Amino acid sequence: MIRVLVIDDDDIAREAMCAVLVKAGFYVFELATPIGATSVIKRDGITAVALDINMPTINGDKLAKLLRENAQLANLGIVLVSGCDIEQLSALGEKVGADGIVSKSKLHVALAPAIERAVAARAAKSSSTPAAVPYPNAGPPSSSRRPR
């Protein structure tokens, strides 16, 4: 089961992302701020994150770069989400090592497939490297929205 952490400071956008992902059958966790994201990722066995780019505490691209640099999170799929120009978003995603990008205007059709591709890409990369035990404490979700 894919476990997704949605991080967006905008309540409406975060709720929209969560609704799309729950409908697609994912376990969904959410944060209104990037603070504590690494702890949630490790504690709840998150397999992918959907990050808004523009947030007040730390921008999503900077958080994505930090997550990508963390060797313990090598299997984490990262999808950047923004309302900015798609070419700018694409360049930013490439720069920070994101697995995908999604325009906020296309959330309803593009977010779930982007998450699936990100998880598949990370799984393919990890199968070509020595096996590691990802997220040893990952049991049932502690505070998720369960698929209906």
Side-chain angles (χ1 to χ4, degrees):
M1 173 66 68
I2 295 176
R3 299 156 83 92
V4 184
L5 175 60
V6 173
I7 306 173
D8 194 323
D9 62 312
D10 181 302
D11 294 339
I12 294 170
R14 191 175 63 253
E15 284 295 320
M17 285 191 273
C18 289
V20 165
L21 296 171
V22 167
K23 186 176 179 182
F26 303 133
Y27 279 111
V28 178
F29 302 75
E30 60 183 282
L31 289 174
T33 172
I35 306 301
T38 303
S39 297
V40 171
I41 291 166
K42 290 178 179 180
R43 180 190 70 220
D44 293 320
I46 301 299
T47 49
V49 294
L51 293 170
D52 179 35
I53 295 297
N54 298 313
M55 292 187 283
T57 53
I58 181 173
N59 283 341
D61 57 315
K62 290 181 181 162
L63 178 60
K65 187 173 188 293
L66 292 171
L67 294 172
R68 189 54 72 222
E69 292 171 351
N70 185 330
Q72 293 177 341
L73 304 178
N75 295 333
L76 182 68
I78 299 174
V79 175
L80 300 181
V81 180
S82 180
C84 73
D85 176 71
I86 199 70
E87 290 176 10
Q88 180 185 6
L89 183 58
S90 181
L92 196 56
E94 195 171 316
K95 179 180 174 185
V96 299
D99 299 297
I101 59 164
V102 174
S103 170
K104 284 190 176 181
S105 66
K106 303 286 185 194
L107 283 179
H108 61 289
V109 295
L111 185 58
I115 293 291
E116 289 172 342
R117 284 190 303 271
V119 170
R122 288 288 132 190
K125 286 182 181 185
S126 70
S127 68
S128 63
T129 58
V133 180
Y135 319 114
N137 298 327
S142 60
S143 61
S144 69
R145 298 166 181 246
R146 297 194 184 258
R148 294 178 188 170

